Amino acid sequence: MLETLRETFRARYGRDPELVARAPGRVNLIGEHTDYNEGLVLPCAIDRATFVAAAGRSDGRVRVVSEGYADAAEFTAAAPVRRGDWVDYVAGPFFAFAERGLAAPGLDLAIASDVPRGAGLSSSAALAVAVACALREGSGQALSARDLAELAHRAETGFVGVPCGVMDQMASALGEPDAALRIDCRTLATETVPIAGGDAALLVVHSGVHRRLAAGGYAQRVAECRAALAQARAAGVAPRARALRDLSPADLPALERALEPVPFRRARHVITENARVDRFAGALRAGDLPAAGALLREAMASLRDDYAVSTRELDALCAAGDGTPGCYGSRLTGAGWGGCTLHLVRSDAAERVAESVGAAFERAFGRRPEAWRVRPSSGVRILPGGPEDVRRRSTPL
Ligand code: GLA
């Protein structure tokens, strides 16, 4: 893919790229819909990534072409304008740089990716993080991987207009091989949690239902959490809480008395899910995969019943996974409403579980779902641009 990308770049712009930024997609192991409640998450970056080939321009313009989309685009680096399509994820980081007073130079860009789109594996965060990284290199700014995550996050909330949390961008920027990343979304402190030896594998199955965060359900959940918090504070349950993260399972009985049923269920998901993150990390550290799997199943029930973000397809994939020997536990991963399920499986059973889940899904829905075994991988980095650059640049962040 990299060679094709470099060729696309040459064919389009008549020169070699100066660098290629690579940013991975992510899968979230546990801690769903907790990030925008300032809580804990445990994603890992995966071995599928978006590549952005780049070379500087002196006229402050940005030109971009992507292998995934037919149309090319052009905009002004210092003042991009929102279009409502994929280009916004490229222009967003330029907006975020400008907003922070960082110089954003003109660039020629070409993009290729093997992160499936609309599958809940954060293809859009991977794109924004890769562009932010290319931009950092192009502008010579001293920015850390965490800065890139924050800039890419700002691109999404401030420019694209999705009120998402910071998990996806952090995972794409800071992922580590063979480990998950525990992120405290209030402080952005991170900690690596090794994924239990060679025994555990991560299987991801795509329901084939594409989801778009912008479609409204996500923003509605964000609003419901804010409303639940406001009601809890007003009722004196948690007068000083800044976010749902500040409530604990011990507050649930009082919360149930104070809130309407729907806000209560939304809050109960967030509060119990937040507590599950450290229990899950503890199980991984102890190599107790059955305990980790049981937490995934609990999380799934909570996402389905309390948070109401599952679908028939996701329910069916999880039930099929949980009914197959060698699968410790399954749940939907990402925002929900479609996208993928995650199955924690025994390494030597990965193919068998994929086969059995695929067959069960096909019997129910008449089509075979795509499945991938994903490996926890490192976060954003710079690869050499053209042959000339190989010696000069091979700087991991
Ligand atoms: C999407 C958002 C994340 C997070 C998840 C749900 O992936 O981009 O910020 O909220 O949904 O956990």
Side-chain angles (χ1 to χ4, degrees):
M1 182 165 59
L2 256 183
E3 226 7 79
T4 320
L5 176 64
R6 291 191 180 107
E7 267 159 34
T8 304
F9 192 98
R10 273 179 224 121
R12 189 85 197 183
Y13 304 121
R15 58 183 174 146
D16 278 328
E18 287 160 8
L19 59 91
V20 178
R22 174 196 182 280
R26 66 95 188 92
V27 67
N28 189 18
L29 303 189
I30 201 159
E32 216 68 88
H33 292 280
T34 45
D35 61 354
Y36 52 82
N37 290 297
E38 300 188 18
L40 306 173
V41 293
L42 194 74
C44 59
I46 59 174
D47 49 348
R48 286 172 165 265
T50 296
F51 297 85
V52 174
R57 291 170 64 91
S58 51
D59 61 356
R61 298 287 294 163
V62 181
R63 295 189 296 180
V64 57
V65 60
S66 167
E67 286 177 1
Y69 299 91
D71 51 333
E74 209 176 317
F75 57 88
T76 305
V81 177
R82 196 171 171 279
R83 300 171 23 137
D85 63 11
W86 67 275
V87 180
D88 289 346
Y89 287 93
V90 179
F94 286 83
F95 158 86
F97 268 61
E99 191 187 53
R100 259 182 54 179
L102 301 166
L107 293 174
D108 280 337
L109 301 170
I111 296 164
S113 180
D114 63 1
V115 186
R117 284 205 303 269
L121 298 176
S122 294
S123 57
S124 48
L127 175 54
V129 169
V131 170
C133 183
L135 199 42
R136 176 192 65 179
E137 297 295 300
S139 67
Q141 317 264 2
L143 296 168
S144 67
R146 182 174 139 176
D147 292 328
L148 296 183
E150 290 186 80
L151 286 159
H153 178 239
R154 182 61 196 144
E156 189 136 355
T157 57
F159 190 76
V160 181
V162 178
C164 65
V166 74
M167 164 171 73
D168 306 344
Q169 296 79 10
M170 286 289 286
S172 180
L174 290 151
E176 301 259 352
D178 302 320
L181 201 63
R182 178 194 185 274
I183 307 166
D184 181 326
C185 296
R186 170 168 284 166
T187 61
L188 295 193
T190 59
E191 210 180 290
T192 45
V193 179
I195 297 198
D199 288 348
L202 302 175
L203 182 68
V204 169
V205 184
H206 188 4
S207 67
V209 181
H210 289 255
R211 57 165 196 97
R212 290 209 58 213
L213 290 188
Y218 187 87
Q220 188 189 342
R221 290 294 176 279
V222 175
E224 286 171 346
C225 287
R226 286 212 190 103
L229 176 70
Q231 285 176 30
R233 290 168 52 132
V237 177
R240 278 183 299 280
R242 207 177 94 181
L244 285 182
R245 184 252 170 88
D246 296 313
L247 282 89
S248 83
D251 295 313
L252 288 172
L255 211 54
E256 187 162 20
R257 288 190 293 276
L259 301 188
E260 298 289 316
V262 170
F264 171 67
R265 286 207 297 277
R266 304 296 187 253
R268 179 166 62 187
H269 165 72
V270 173
I271 293 164
T272 58
E273 180 78 352
N274 203 47
R276 274 186 289 272
V277 173
D278 277 338
R279 286 165 66 206
F280 185 92
L284 276 191
R285 286 202 171 98
D288 189 349
L289 298 176
L295 287 162
L296 293 182
R297 292 196 298 274
E298 251 183 52
M300 178 60 189
S302 178
L303 285 162
R304 184 189 59 219
D305 302 334
D306 275 351
Y307 221 62
V309 295
S310 191
T311 63
R312 282 168 53 234
E313 291 85 352
L314 295 168
D315 290 348
L317 290 171
C318 288
D322 291 344
T324 307
C327 177
Y328 296 107
S330 315
R331 67 174 196 83
L332 69 86
T333 183
W337 295 286
C340 288
T341 51
L342 164 77
H343 308 265
L344 179 67
V345 300
R346 233 182 35 231
S347 256
D348 60 4
E351 269 176 41
R352 181 151 43 83
V353 178
E355 171 55 35
S356 137
V357 170
F361 189 87
E362 190 170 7
R363 280 195 299 279
F365 297 97
R367 58 189 165 81
R368 196 80 178 182
E370 275 189 282
W372 307 281
R373 181 176 170 167
V374 296
R375 291 186 171 73
S377 303
S378 47
V380 69
R381 65 198 156 96
I382 294 293
L383 309 171
E388 283 298 298
D389 297 305
V390 174
R391 285 173 306 275
R392 233 169 13 94
R393 292 179 181 269
S394 52
T395 29
L397 286 171

